[in-house]
Amino acid sequence: MAALSRRTVLAGLAATAVWPRHAQAAWPERNITLIHGLAPGGGVDVSARLIAEGLSKRLGQQVVVEPRPGAAGTLAAAQIARATPDGYTLGFIPGSHSVTAATYKSLPYHPLDDFTIVGQALDVPFLVVTYAEHSIRNMADLLKLAKTRVEPLLCGVPGQGTSQHLLVEHLSRLAGVKIQPVAFRGGNLALNELLGKRLDFLVDPPTALLGQIKSGTLRAVAVTGSVRFPELPDVGTIAEAGFPGFSITSWMGVVGPAKLPEPIVTKLNSELRALVADPAMAQRIRALGSEPAGGPPDAFKALIAGDIARWTKVVADANIERVGG
Protein backbone atom coordinates (compact mmCIF):
# COMPACT_ATOMS: atom_id res chain seq x y z
CA MET A 1 0.00 0.00 0.00
CA ALA A 2 2.84 2.34 0.91
CA ALA A 3 4.61 1.56 -2.39
CA LEU A 4 1.40 2.18 -4.33
CA SER A 5 0.93 5.54 -2.61
CA ARG A 6 4.48 6.51 -3.44
CA ARG A 7 3.97 5.68 -7.13
CA THR A 8 0.74 7.65 -7.13
CA VAL A 9 2.42 10.65 -5.58
CA LEU A 10 5.33 10.52 -8.04
CA ALA A 11 2.94 10.23 -10.98
CA GLY A 12 1.01 13.20 -9.70
CA LEU A 13 4.18 15.25 -9.34
CA ALA A 14 5.30 14.33 -12.84
CA ALA A 15 1.95 15.36 -14.29
CA THR A 16 2.15 18.66 -12.43
CA ALA A 17 5.66 19.27 -13.79
CA VAL A 18 4.60 18.52 -17.36
CA TRP A 19 1.42 20.65 -17.30
CA PRO A 20 3.09 24.07 -17.66
CA ARG A 21 4.94 22.85 -20.75
CA HIS A 22 1.64 21.70 -22.29
CA ALA A 23 0.14 25.09 -21.50
CA GLN A 24 3.07 26.86 -23.08
CA ALA A 25 2.93 24.62 -26.17
CA ALA A 26 -0.71 25.60 -26.64
CA TRP A 27 0.09 29.31 -26.47
CA PRO A 28 -1.58 31.45 -27.66
CA GLU A 29 -5.14 30.52 -26.79
CA ARG A 30 -6.58 34.05 -26.67
CA ASN A 31 -5.86 37.62 -27.75
CA ILE A 32 -2.43 39.13 -27.12
CA THR A 33 -1.97 42.78 -26.12
CA LEU A 34 0.97 44.61 -27.69
CA ILE A 35 1.74 47.82 -25.77
CA HIS A 36 3.83 50.75 -26.91
CA GLY A 37 4.42 54.14 -25.33
CA LEU A 38 4.12 56.59 -28.21
CA ALA A 39 1.20 58.54 -29.66
CA PRO A 40 -1.51 56.85 -31.76
CA GLY A 41 -0.99 57.41 -35.47
CA GLY A 42 2.75 58.06 -35.19
CA GLY A 43 5.53 56.05 -36.77
CA VAL A 44 5.86 53.59 -33.87
CA ASP A 45 2.10 53.05 -33.72
CA VAL A 46 1.82 52.43 -37.46
CA SER A 47 4.76 50.01 -37.36
CA ALA A 48 3.38 48.20 -34.31
CA ARG A 49 0.04 47.71 -36.08
CA LEU A 50 1.76 46.34 -39.15
CA ILE A 51 3.72 43.81 -37.10
CA ALA A 52 0.63 42.96 -35.03
CA GLU A 53 -1.37 42.29 -38.18
CA GLY A 54 1.26 39.87 -39.43
CA LEU A 55 1.71 38.11 -36.09
CA SER A 56 -2.07 37.73 -35.73
CA LYS A 57 -2.16 35.71 -38.94
CA ARG A 58 0.88 33.63 -38.04
CA LEU A 59 -0.14 32.90 -34.44
CA GLY A 60 -3.84 32.33 -35.10
CA GLN A 61 -4.89 34.79 -32.39
CA GLN A 62 -5.53 38.51 -32.55
CA VAL A 63 -2.63 40.74 -31.52
CA VAL A 64 -4.19 43.99 -30.31
CA VAL A 65 -2.06 47.16 -30.25
CA GLU A 66 -2.56 49.49 -27.28
CA PRO A 67 -0.76 52.86 -27.36
CA ARG A 68 -0.16 54.13 -23.83
CA PRO A 69 1.80 57.35 -24.33
CA GLY A 70 3.38 59.40 -21.60
CA ALA A 71 6.75 60.32 -20.11
CA ALA A 72 8.70 59.49 -23.31
CA GLY A 73 7.44 55.91 -23.33
CA THR A 74 8.52 55.09 -19.79
CA LEU A 75 4.96 54.66 -18.48
CA ALA A 76 4.25 51.95 -21.04
CA ALA A 77 7.62 50.30 -20.45
CA ALA A 78 6.91 50.13 -16.72
CA GLN A 79 3.54 48.53 -17.44
CA ILE A 80 5.12 45.91 -19.67
CA ALA A 81 7.74 45.13 -17.02
CA ARG A 82 5.02 44.61 -14.38
CA ALA A 83 2.84 42.37 -16.57
CA THR A 84 2.30 38.68 -15.89
CA PRO A 85 4.90 36.74 -17.93
CA ASP A 86 2.40 34.50 -19.70
CA GLY A 87 2.85 35.77 -23.28
CA TYR A 88 -0.45 37.67 -23.39
CA THR A 89 1.02 41.11 -22.64
CA LEU A 90 3.96 42.11 -24.81
CA GLY A 91 5.73 45.36 -25.63
CA PHE A 92 6.78 47.00 -28.86
CA ILE A 93 9.73 49.23 -28.01
CA PRO A 94 11.58 51.77 -30.20
CA GLY A 95 15.16 53.02 -29.97
CA SER A 96 14.06 55.68 -27.49
CA HIS A 97 13.96 52.86 -24.91
CA SER A 98 17.77 53.10 -24.83
CA VAL A 99 17.71 56.89 -24.92
CA THR A 100 15.54 57.18 -21.80
CA ALA A 101 17.90 54.79 -20.01
CA ALA A 102 20.68 57.31 -20.67
CA THR A 103 18.77 60.56 -20.17
CA TYR A 104 16.62 59.78 -17.11
CA LYS A 105 18.15 59.90 -13.64
CA SER A 106 15.97 57.01 -12.56
CA LEU A 107 13.36 54.73 -14.09
CA PRO A 108 10.68 52.53 -12.49
CA TYR A 109 12.27 49.52 -14.23
CA HIS A 110 15.65 48.23 -15.38
CA PRO A 111 15.83 48.70 -19.17
CA LEU A 112 17.21 45.19 -19.72
CA ASP A 113 16.80 43.02 -16.61
CA ASP A 114 13.07 43.67 -16.20
CA PHE A 115 12.27 42.52 -19.74
CA THR A 116 12.48 39.38 -21.80
CA ILE A 117 13.99 40.39 -25.13
CA VAL A 118 12.12 38.63 -27.95
CA GLY A 119 13.56 40.11 -31.14
CA GLN A 120 14.12 43.09 -33.38
CA ALA A 121 11.57 43.78 -36.11
CA LEU A 122 12.65 46.99 -37.85
CA ASP A 123 15.73 49.10 -38.37
CA VAL A 124 15.06 52.82 -38.87
CA PRO A 125 17.77 55.01 -40.40
CA PHE A 126 17.84 58.77 -40.01
CA LEU A 127 18.25 61.23 -42.85
CA VAL A 128 20.22 64.46 -42.67
CA VAL A 129 18.35 67.03 -44.77
CA THR A 130 18.50 70.73 -45.58
CA TYR A 131 16.31 73.08 -47.60
CA ALA A 132 16.82 73.04 -51.36
CA GLU A 133 18.46 76.46 -51.67
CA HIS A 134 21.12 75.87 -49.00
CA SER A 135 24.76 75.67 -50.08
CA ILE A 136 25.08 72.30 -48.33
CA ARG A 137 24.79 69.56 -50.93
CA ASN A 138 26.36 66.60 -49.16
CA MET A 139 27.93 65.63 -45.84
CA ALA A 140 31.36 66.92 -46.84
CA ASP A 141 29.83 70.35 -47.52
CA LEU A 142 28.05 70.33 -44.17
CA LEU A 143 31.21 69.53 -42.22
CA LYS A 144 33.31 72.02 -44.17
CA LEU A 145 30.79 74.78 -43.50
CA ALA A 146 30.62 73.83 -39.82
CA LYS A 147 34.41 74.16 -39.57
CA THR A 148 34.70 77.49 -41.38
CA ARG A 149 31.62 79.44 -40.30
CA VAL A 150 31.97 81.59 -37.19
CA GLU A 151 28.50 80.77 -35.88
CA PRO A 152 27.64 77.11 -35.30
CA LEU A 153 25.32 75.38 -37.73
CA LEU A 154 21.77 75.11 -36.42
CA CYS A 155 20.22 71.65 -36.46
CA GLY A 156 16.56 71.08 -35.61
CA VAL A 157 15.75 68.09 -33.40
CA PRO A 158 12.31 66.92 -32.15
CA GLY A 159 12.99 67.51 -28.48
CA GLN A 160 15.75 67.73 -25.90
CA GLY A 161 17.25 64.34 -25.12
CA THR A 162 15.80 62.57 -28.18
CA SER A 163 17.72 60.10 -30.35
CA GLN A 164 18.23 62.83 -32.95
CA HIS A 165 19.57 65.27 -30.36
CA LEU A 166 22.09 62.74 -29.03
CA LEU A 167 23.08 61.73 -32.56
CA VAL A 168 23.91 65.36 -33.44
CA GLU A 169 25.90 65.80 -30.22
CA HIS A 170 27.83 62.63 -31.00
CA LEU A 171 28.51 63.67 -34.61
CA SER A 172 29.71 67.16 -33.66
CA ARG A 173 32.26 65.74 -31.23
CA LEU A 174 33.36 62.99 -33.57
CA ALA A 175 33.92 65.47 -36.43
CA GLY A 176 35.28 68.25 -34.21
CA VAL A 177 32.79 70.82 -35.51
CA LYS A 178 30.34 73.30 -33.99
CA ILE A 179 26.71 72.28 -34.34
CA GLN A 180 23.98 73.76 -32.20
CA PRO A 181 20.98 71.44 -31.71
CA VAL A 182 17.72 73.39 -31.55
CA ALA A 183 15.01 71.42 -29.79
CA PHE A 184 11.34 71.63 -30.81
CA ARG A 185 8.23 69.90 -29.56
CA GLY A 186 8.10 67.40 -32.37
CA GLY A 187 9.62 66.89 -35.80
CA ASN A 188 6.94 68.85 -37.65
CA LEU A 189 7.85 72.09 -35.90
CA ALA A 190 11.54 71.54 -36.67
CA LEU A 191 10.68 70.83 -40.31
CA ASN A 192 8.64 74.05 -40.56
CA GLU A 193 11.60 76.04 -39.24
CA LEU A 194 13.93 74.39 -41.74
CA LEU A 195 11.56 75.15 -44.61
CA GLY A 196 11.47 78.72 -43.34
CA LYS A 197 15.27 78.76 -43.71
CA ARG A 198 15.80 79.50 -40.03
CA LEU A 199 17.78 76.27 -39.53
CA ASP A 200 20.66 74.80 -41.51
CA PHE A 201 19.61 71.17 -41.38
CA LEU A 202 17.72 68.57 -39.38
CA VAL A 203 17.89 64.87 -38.64
CA ASP A 204 14.75 62.71 -38.70
CA PRO A 205 13.47 59.33 -39.94
CA PRO A 206 12.61 59.14 -43.65
CA THR A 207 8.84 58.85 -43.30
CA ALA A 208 8.16 62.55 -42.75
CA LEU A 209 10.81 63.69 -45.24
CA LEU A 210 10.65 61.55 -48.37
CA GLY A 211 7.73 63.39 -49.97
CA GLN A 212 9.45 66.76 -49.77
CA ILE A 213 12.80 65.32 -50.85
CA LYS A 214 11.20 63.87 -53.96
CA SER A 215 9.34 67.10 -54.67
CA GLY A 216 12.59 69.06 -54.45
CA THR A 217 11.67 71.14 -51.40
CA LEU A 218 14.26 69.37 -49.26
CA ARG A 219 17.70 68.03 -50.14
CA ALA A 220 18.93 64.81 -48.54
CA VAL A 221 22.52 65.26 -47.38
CA ALA A 222 23.37 61.91 -45.76
CA VAL A 223 22.06 58.68 -44.29
CA THR A 224 23.08 57.79 -40.73
CA GLY A 225 23.01 54.01 -41.16
CA SER A 226 25.74 51.73 -42.46
CA VAL A 227 24.17 51.40 -45.93
CA ARG A 228 22.45 53.79 -48.32
CA PHE A 229 18.72 54.15 -48.07
CA PRO A 230 17.05 52.20 -50.94
CA GLU A 231 14.67 55.06 -51.82
CA LEU A 232 17.63 57.48 -52.12
CA PRO A 233 20.46 55.48 -53.70
CA ASP A 234 22.49 58.58 -54.63
CA VAL A 235 22.67 59.87 -51.04
CA GLY A 236 25.82 58.75 -49.26
CA THR A 237 26.23 57.58 -45.68
CA ILE A 238 28.11 59.46 -42.98
CA ALA A 239 30.59 56.59 -42.99
CA GLU A 240 31.33 57.33 -46.66
CA ALA A 241 32.00 60.96 -45.76
CA GLY A 242 35.12 59.99 -43.86
CA PHE A 243 33.89 58.25 -40.71
CA PRO A 244 34.36 54.51 -41.29
CA GLY A 245 32.11 52.38 -39.14
CA PHE A 246 29.69 55.20 -38.36
CA SER A 247 26.21 53.72 -38.11
CA ILE A 248 23.44 55.09 -35.92
CA THR A 249 19.87 54.06 -36.53
CA SER A 250 16.78 53.67 -34.45
CA TRP A 251 15.00 50.34 -34.21
CA MET A 252 11.78 48.70 -33.08
CA GLY A 253 11.22 45.28 -31.62
CA VAL A 254 9.21 43.01 -29.38
CA VAL A 255 9.80 42.39 -25.68
CA GLY A 256 7.89 40.86 -22.80
CA PRO A 257 8.11 41.04 -19.04
CA ALA A 258 11.01 39.26 -17.37
CA LYS A 259 10.77 35.45 -17.01
CA LEU A 260 8.67 34.92 -20.12
CA PRO A 261 8.78 31.12 -20.64
CA GLU A 262 11.43 30.00 -23.10
CA PRO A 263 9.03 28.05 -25.39
CA ILE A 264 6.97 31.20 -25.86
CA VAL A 265 10.07 33.31 -26.56
CA THR A 266 11.31 30.75 -29.09
CA LYS A 267 7.96 30.60 -30.88
CA LEU A 268 7.52 34.38 -30.92
CA ASN A 269 11.02 35.02 -32.17
CA SER A 270 10.66 32.40 -34.90
CA GLU A 271 7.35 33.84 -36.11
CA LEU A 272 8.64 37.43 -35.96
CA ARG A 273 11.75 36.56 -38.01
CA ALA A 274 9.66 34.72 -40.59
CA LEU A 275 7.23 37.62 -40.76
CA VAL A 276 9.79 40.36 -41.50
CA ALA A 277 11.59 38.06 -43.96
CA ASP A 278 8.42 37.64 -46.03
CA PRO A 279 8.87 39.67 -49.25
CA ALA A 280 5.38 41.20 -49.12
CA MET A 281 5.83 42.29 -45.50
CA ALA A 282 9.34 43.57 -46.22
CA GLN A 283 7.92 45.76 -48.98
CA ARG A 284 5.32 47.21 -46.60
CA ILE A 285 8.01 47.87 -43.98
CA ARG A 286 10.17 49.70 -46.53
CA ALA A 287 7.18 51.81 -47.55
CA LEU A 288 7.24 53.17 -43.98
CA GLY A 289 10.88 54.24 -44.35
CA SER A 290 12.25 51.31 -42.35
CA GLU A 291 14.14 48.13 -43.08
CA PRO A 292 13.08 44.64 -41.94
CA ALA A 293 15.50 43.38 -39.30
CA GLY A 294 15.01 39.99 -37.69
CA GLY A 295 17.48 38.09 -35.57
CA PRO A 296 17.83 36.11 -32.34
CA PRO A 297 16.96 37.59 -28.94
CA ASP A 298 20.61 37.83 -27.90
CA ALA A 299 21.44 40.04 -30.88
CA PHE A 300 18.59 42.43 -30.08
CA LYS A 301 19.60 42.52 -26.42
CA ALA A 302 23.19 43.36 -27.39
CA LEU A 303 21.93 46.16 -29.66
CA ILE A 304 19.88 47.70 -26.85
CA ALA A 305 22.75 47.41 -24.36
CA GLY A 306 25.21 48.94 -26.84
CA ASP A 307 22.93 51.90 -27.47
CA ILE A 308 22.46 52.49 -23.76
CA ALA A 309 26.24 52.57 -23.27
CA ARG A 310 26.80 54.91 -26.23
CA TRP A 311 24.05 57.37 -25.31
CA THR A 312 25.10 57.40 -21.66
CA LYS A 313 28.58 58.49 -22.75
CA VAL A 314 27.17 61.16 -25.10
CA VAL A 315 24.97 62.55 -22.32
CA ALA A 316 28.00 62.77 -20.02
CA ASP A 317 30.35 64.24 -22.66
CA ALA A 318 27.80 66.85 -23.77
CA ASN A 319 26.86 67.68 -20.19
CA ILE A 320 23.18 67.15 -20.98
CA GLU A 321 20.95 67.56 -17.94
CA ARG A 322 19.22 64.30 -17.14
CA VAL A 323 15.47 64.11 -16.54
CA GLY A 324 14.04 63.67 -13.04
CA GLY A 325 14.87 64.50 -9.50
Side-chain angles (χ1 to χ4, degrees), residues 95-137:
S96 57
H97 183 82
S98 292
V99 173
T100 54
T103 56
Y104 275 59
K105 289 181 179 179
S106 64
L107 292 168
Y109 55 84
H110 188 282
L112 285 173
D113 296 347
D114 287 345
F115 299 89
T116 298
I117 308 302
V118 174
Q120 186 180 1
L122 312 176
D123 189 65
V124 188
F126 294 106
L127 297 179
V128 181
V129 300
T130 187
Y131 54 87
E133 297 82 7
H134 205 295
S135 62
I136 296 172
R137 307 196 69 82

Side-chain angles (χ1 to χ4, degrees), residues 35-39 68-80 92-94 96-97 100 104 107-109 115:
I35 298 171
H36 71 76
L38 281 297
R68 298 181 186 174
T74 61
L75 297 181
Q79 190 162 4
I80 297 160
F92 191 74
I93 62 169
S96 57
H97 183 82
T100 54
Y104 275 59
L107 292 168
Y109 55 84
F115 299 89

Side-chain angles (χ1 to χ4, degrees), residues 112 162 168 172 190:
L112 285 173
T162 57
V168 171
S172 66

Side-chain angles (χ1 to χ4, degrees), residues 6-7 11 15 21 24 33 37 50 52 95 106 113 119 121 148 151 214 218 233 238 267 274 308 310:
R6 182 171 181 274
R7 285 196 298 270
R21 286 195 287 272
Q24 292 163 19
T33 300
L50 181 60
S106 64
D113 296 347
T148 57
E151 303 85 5
K214 292 182 177 181
L218 294 177
I238 292 177
K267 184 172 185 177
I308 291 172
R310 174 172 55 202

Side-chain angles (χ1 to χ4, degrees), residues 11-320:
L13 290 173
T16 302
V18 169
W19 165 247
R21 286 195 287 272
H22 284 320
Q24 292 163 19
W27 178 90
E29 297 179 299
R30 53 186 170 86
N31 287 357
I32 298 164
T33 300
L34 185 65
I35 298 171
H36 71 76
L38 281 297
V44 172
D45 185 55
V46 172
S47 299
R49 293 181 190 280
L50 181 60
I51 295 300
E53 176 192 323
L55 286 178
S56 296
K57 293 175 182 176
R58 300 190 70 89
L59 294 173
Q61 294 289 346
Q62 194 69 23
V63 180
V64 181
V65 174
E66 289 193 10
R68 298 181 186 174
T74 61
L75 297 181
Q79 190 162 4
I80 297 160
R82 291 192 302 264
T84 302
D86 57 7
Y88 292 102
T89 301
L90 302 173
F92 191 74
I93 62 169
S96 57
H97 183 82
S98 292
V99 173
T100 54
T103 56
Y104 275 59
K105 289 181 179 179
S106 64
L107 292 168
Y109 55 84
H110 188 282
L112 285 173
D113 296 347
D114 287 345
F115 299 89
T116 298
I117 308 302
V118 174
Q120 186 180 1
L122 312 176
D123 189 65
V124 188
F126 294 106
L127 297 179
V128 181
V129 300
T130 187
Y131 54 87
E133 297 82 7
H134 205 295
S135 62
I136 296 172
R137 307 196 69 82
N138 51 46
M139 199 65 199
D141 287 345
L142 188 154
L143 295 176
K144 182 179 179 181
L145 184 60
K147 287 179 179 178
T148 57
R149 201 169 80 175
V150 176
E151 303 85 5
L153 295 187
L154 300 180
C155 175
V157 296
Q160 178 82 4
T162 57
S163 300
Q164 294 93 315
H165 175 202
L166 299 189
L167 188 158
V168 171
E169 294 282 8
H170 176 62
L171 177 62
S172 66
R173 281 158 180 76
L174 183 67
V177 298
K178 294 179 181 179
I179 298 174
Q180 177 62 55
V182 182
F184 296 87
R185 291 190 175 183
N188 287 338
L189 293 176
L191 179 57
N192 288 340
E193 289 297 295
L194 180 66
L195 292 172
K197 304 179 184 179
R198 291 177 288 274
L199 299 171
D200 292 294
F201 69 101
L202 63 78
V203 179
D204 226 3
T207 312
L209 306 173
L210 278 175
Q212 301 213 48
I213 292 171
K214 292 182 177 181
S215 72
T217 308
L218 294 177
R219 177 185 299 121
V221 172
V223 180
T224 67
S226 60
V227 297
R228 296 191 177 197
F229 188 62
E231 290 284 322
L232 303 168
D234 295 331
V235 179
T237 65
I238 292 177
E240 291 176 287
F243 301 92
F246 187 100
S247 179
I248 295 179
T249 61
S250 189
W251 40 258
M252 302 179 202
V254 177
V255 300
K259 300 181 181 179
L260 197 63
E262 186 60 35
I264 293 178
V265 177
T266 300
K267 184 172 185 177
L268 255 178
N269 179 265
S270 176
E271 295 297 349
L272 181 62
R273 292 169 74 172
L275 173 64
V276 299
D278 178 78
M281 177 57 68
Q283 184 176 6
R284 294 179 70 185
I285 289 170
R286 291 189 176 104
L288 297 177
S290 301
E291 283 293 312
D298 286 351
F300 190 32
K301 186 172 185 177
L303 174 63
I304 298 169
D307 274 4
I308 291 172
R310 174 172 55 202
W311 296 139
T312 299
K313 185 177 187 306
V314 170
V315 167
D317 291 347
N319 198 28
I320 296 170

